[in-house]
Structure formats: C-alpha cells, structure tokens
Amino acid sequence: MIVALLVLTISSDKLEGMALTKLSTDIQYVISPLPSFWIGKAILENMPLYMLPAFVLSAMWICFLFKRYLRKI
C-alpha cells in the first residue's frame, strides 16, 4: 500500500508511474526508510525486534502519503 501511495503521489501520469516502479534497486540503506526493508531484515536475521521500525515507519508513511494524496485529488 505504501509503495502504491508513493507512486501515486510522486508521478504525474501513468508513464511516469511505470518509470518510477522500474527504478527500484537493491541498495540496502537507501531503502531503509521503507517498512518492507525492516520486515525482510527481521526475517533474514531472525530478529523480531526489527519489526518495530517496520510498524512505526508504516504508520508514518501512510499518514504522510495519504495527506499528500488527499491534497492532490
């Protein structure tokens, strides 16, 4: 949901949105602000404590992007 809101918020049309989705790379700390990074890290390293930043970041991203989306429509 967060990635979808991010693409909808940043892109101005369908073509730009598709281009944004292709820009995803495997640079570890560039994507650390995304909750999916911390979920994957928690699973790979078997550290449930990494789920806490995932939940906090999810809430922050959803609030931020939803507010921007509402201003856009």
Side-chain angles (χ1 to χ4, degrees):
M1 180 173 170
I2 293 170
V3 174
L5 279 172
L6 186 62
V7 170
L8 285 171
T9 303
I10 294 174
S11 63
S12 59
D13 57 19
K14 289 181 184 178
L15 184 61
E16 192 175 307
M18 289 190 309
L20 281 172
T21 58
K22 290 188 179 225
L23 289 177
S24 62
T25 60
D26 292 337
I27 302 171
Q28 183 176 5
Y29 294 104
V30 171
I31 61 171
S32 64
L34 297 176
S36 57
F37 168 80
W38 292 104
I39 293 169
K41 195 167 181 72
I43 292 169
L44 287 175
E45 296 183 12
N46 199 19
M47 290 285 295
L49 187 60
Y50 286 142
M51 293 301 285
L52 182 63
F55 290 128
V56 171
L57 286 169
S58 291
M60 290 171 55
W61 274 108
I62 290 170
C63 289
F64 172 73
L65 292 172
F66 192 66
K67 285 178 186 177
R68 287 193 54 142
Y69 177 70
L70 286 177
R71 276 190 268 142
K72 189 174 181 178
I73 57 172

